[in-house]
Amino acid sequence: MPRTTAHRTAALAVSVTSSLLLGVWAAVPAAAHGAPTDPVSRVYGCSPDGDQNGTAACRAAVAANGAPFTAWDNLRVANVNGRDRQTIPDGQLCSGGLPAYKGLDLARADWPSTRMTPGAALTMRYVSTIPHTGTFRLYLTKPGYDPTKPLTWSDLPEKPFAEVTDPALTDGAYRIGATLPSDRTGRHVLYTIWQNSSTPDTYYSCSDVVFPAAKSDGAGAQGAGSATGGGRGEGNTGASPGQNGETGETSQSGQRANPAEKSPVPAGSAPNAVPSGSPAEAGAAPESTPVASAADADSGPSAPTVAGGAAAVLLLTGGAALALRMRRR
């Protein structure tokens, strides 16, 4: 075979192999990192993987967003370096100011929520697909917070009520322990900031929570039913408490407030600890969010990526060998 023909054949083989390689890598989504699943965050609950994506609030969020929240574990902003209040605009705290998540900033009182008990122990479950070092800072909106108005920095205290650095990643999730403030009632936002120290990224998330109303003179203790009723009554969507899936309210253990609603439990998941006397104590079910697998390093490829890369390398090797053989003829 003439030398020019051999060169053209070799170039064609490399070009075809490169195209296949690029196709393989393009088909694999970029590795992401994490979000709270208990108390359920807006981005997870309204994602295709979440159990609340059929609620009115989630449907409205997806419509406003223009796309589903498929990358629920990738809501991050680079190079913030602790300047959260200077970087993230008011009214955009839940989206981190990212256009791809703008639907999370809708001001409405019917977001899927988790029942909480004032002053009780909290164990946040923050699912992560890749382990990182860093600090979690937890904020709870101030007393008198109005969920029908855009969330602003002035709605949050200057200091977090909990700050945890470098918790262990176990079974695909961080467990962050804290004690909730004791002076909250009604609907609030649990705002979580995860500032990485192993990457330049900071992650933001909003988890909607509902506290039972304070006891009145001569009245009995508020039970799970009153907490549920309070949460649903604030919805303002026209949905009655009996409507299946319209509010998506759960207890911290992962059980829906309406026992008739579906609450799937994946194998191997463990329930959160619920303080004695809390609304979630009676009949609490194991948490219902899936555990994401953890990779060994930030840049480590997922299993599909490794398989695709291996196939592409084989194609590249085969193409080069073919070109070499043809050139020798």
Side-chain angles (χ1 to χ4, degrees):
M1 178 181 294
R3 183 178 297 274
T4 54
T5 304
H7 278 296
R8 289 174 181 172
T9 304
L12 177 60
V14 172
S15 176
V16 170
T17 304
S18 300
S19 298
L20 290 171
L21 180 61
L22 289 173
V24 169
W25 285 104
V28 178
H33 305 268
T37 58
D38 186 12
V40 64
S41 56
R42 291 181 184 180
V43 69
Y44 177 79
C46 294
S47 75
D49 296 326
D51 197 36
Q52 294 85 13
N53 53 37
T55 61
C58 285
R59 293 196 303 268
V62 171
N65 208 54
F69 302 105
T70 304
W72 55 266
D73 53 354
N74 203 31
L75 204 167
R76 53 178 169 159
V77 181
N79 301 316
V80 176
N81 299 322
R83 296 177 289 104
D84 307 290
R85 294 173 186 257
Q86 292 77 28
T87 305
I88 309 302
D90 279 340
Q92 300 178 34
L93 274 63
C94 295
S95 68
L98 300 173
Y101 298 90
K102 62 184 179 181
L104 301 174
D105 292 317
L106 294 182
R108 44 191 303 148
D110 61 343
W111 283 102
S113 60
T114 304
R115 288 175 293 167
M116 292 284 165
T117 299
L122 164 73
T123 301
M124 171 177 280
R125 184 170 183 271
Y126 197 108
V127 166
S128 181
T129 51
I130 295 178
H132 288 303
T133 56
T135 298
F136 291 87
R137 296 192 294 273
L138 277 59
Y139 299 81
L140 193 62
T141 46
K142 298 175 183 177
Y145 162 69
D146 184 354
T148 64
K149 296 180 180 179
L151 181 65
T152 66
W153 287 109
S154 63
D155 291 319
L156 302 175
E158 287 291 331
K159 295 183 178 180
F161 71 86
E163 186 168 311
V164 178
T165 299
D166 297 345
L169 181 66
T170 306
D171 296 329
Y174 298 101
R175 270 89 178 170
I176 303 164
T179 300
L180 290 163
S182 59
D183 60 348
R184 304 296 198 275
T185 59
R187 181 172 285 267
H188 284 272
V189 171
L190 176 59
Y191 192 65
T192 304
I193 299 175
W194 182 27
Q195 182 179 348
N196 283 188
S197 56
S198 56
T199 77
D201 298 324
T202 300
Y203 296 77
Y204 300 94
S205 62
C206 287
S207 298
D208 295 86
V209 297
V210 177
F211 294 92
K215 299 177 184 178
S216 58
D217 293 338
Q222 295 283 349
S226 59
T228 303
R232 294 184 184 278
E234 294 176 84
N236 298 329
T237 61
S240 66
Q243 286 181 313
N244 185 24
E246 280 304 302
T247 61
E249 185 176 312
T250 65
S251 65
Q252 201 202 344
S253 66
Q255 182 180 12
R256 284 183 178 272
N258 183 351
E261 295 177 3
K262 182 179 68 173
S263 180
V265 180
S269 62
N272 264 331
V274 180
S276 176
S278 71
E281 184 181 19
E287 55 192 335
S288 60
T289 50
V291 177
S293 60
D296 291 332
D298 189 19
S299 59
S302 62
T305 303
V306 173
V313 169
L314 288 176
L315 285 171
L316 181 59
T317 304
L322 175 62
L324 184 60
R325 288 182 58 190
M326 297 178 69
R327 187 176 177 183
R328 288 176 179 173
R329 292 181 179 180

